[in-house]
Amino acid sequence: MNIPVRALRRFVLLLCTATLAVTAALWHWTPAHAQAGVDTFDPAPDGQVFSIVLQPDGKILIGGEFDQIGGQSRTGLARLAPDGTPDGFAPTFDNLVSSVFVQPDGGILVGGNFTQVNGIARAHLARLSGAGLLDPGFAPVLNERVYSILRRPNGTIVVGGVFDTADGASRPHLAQFADDGTLDAGFAPEFNNYVAALALQADGKLLVGGAFTKVDGKNRGRLARLNPDGSLDETFTPGANNDVYTIAVQADGKILVGGRFSKIDAANTGALVRLNADGSRDDTFTTVVEGGAVVGMALDAAGRMVIGGEFTQVNGTNLARFARLNADGSLDGDVNLPANGYASALTIQPDGAILVGGALSELGGAA
């Protein structure tokens, strides 16, 4: 087993500290500038939540490092009804789940640190049916943890993480598979440290964030862009001074990046920055997030962004680990919901409600 560098240890501590209490809390607001508040939704997993994904039917998939939810046995992955109660979906994982992705056909891609699913060998990546049954034909073998999963519109599946081999072939921290799980032999970029975040642009280019400082032997400061064939986009060269954990692409093509960094291209930015499509900093975005990393992020239909992590201040205002920003980056004054532990998984429902998961046991003072 490879021993990651110090940056990876910090990231694993951030995501896997088993001593922190966990819950998932649902946050809802009304459009008439009412103060946001915490809903009664309280599934109460007994360990951390790393990923939250909505199914088209409104049910909620959560992945993490838990053994129970709602008083029922669920190991690493659970599905909840909209009111937070677990349904009969109960696959078993022998270790934590980091990332979940729902395919258009209802298949569920799962990545993490597990080596067995439902008692059957699966090395850090698996696919389930909507009923929780393991897909017998989808069995890629990765030698270490998967942090992130992305599926392209053409059905190919991209995964990033700590691993450096896939199906026995060298794939340092990033790999691409066909829909049937076959390794893409022609897609083989090389990263010199782990990949934590993936995002797809409208033109098919792939944004990649993590702890790496080189891609294919060329300097890239923890953020890179690949062409659809996996070759490095030479025109995209922003550099962060510390790890990148989350990336989101806005409707206008601008790129939001969060992490543990405080600088991009030697300019002070705090832990959140917005880039233009060419990789230059968007100077109109003057938000400064300080006091710790931004780990999770989600965008709503109005262009507002919710962010979660370890941070304690946004634009000089004390906001502990959770905040919402307006589309221009200004702080949303209607939101003041401090969390007592970091918020790492954020998802916005079609009705505007927000699911918040992580290592928190209180949000806005509510358990």
Side-chain angles (χ1 to χ4, degrees), residues 225-304:
R225 185 163 66 191
L226 304 180
N227 297 310
D229 63 359
S231 61
L232 184 65
D233 182 345
E234 302 280 0
T235 70
F236 186 88
T237 60
N241 70 333
N242 212 323
D243 299 356
V244 168
Y245 298 146
T246 183
I247 305 171
V249 180
Q250 296 184 167
D252 62 2
K254 291 186 177 182
I255 303 159
L256 288 159
V257 182
R260 191 172 292 282
F261 57 84
S262 59
K263 295 181 179 182
I264 296 287
D265 295 336
N268 293 324
T269 60
L272 180 70
V273 68
R274 186 162 67 192
L275 305 175
N276 297 309
D278 63 0
S280 61
R281 282 180 293 110
D282 179 356
D283 292 331
T284 68
F285 188 85
T286 58
T287 301
V288 179
V289 180
E290 298 177 291
V294 172
V295 182
M297 178 165 45
L299 305 179
D300 71 13
R304 293 175 297 193

Side-chain angles (χ1 to χ4, degrees), residues 36-52:
V38 179
D39 203 303
T40 56
F41 178 96
D42 185 20
D46 67 348
Q48 296 182 59
V49 172
F50 301 144
S51 183
I52 306 175

Side-chain angles (χ1 to χ4, degrees), residues 296-323:
M297 178 165 45
L299 305 179
D300 71 13
R304 293 175 297 193
M305 60 208 77
V306 288
I307 58 173
E310 298 173 310
F311 57 85
T312 56
Q313 285 197 340
V314 181
N315 292 343
T317 299
N318 291 333
L319 280 175
R321 307 174 187 90
F322 178 75

Side-chain angles (χ1 to χ4, degrees), residues 28-37 304 324 326 332-335 351-352:
H28 200 101
W29 72 84
T30 58
H33 300 288
Q35 178 68 31
R304 293 175 297 193
R324 187 174 74 182
N326 295 311
D332 186 336
D334 294 332
V335 176
D351 64 358

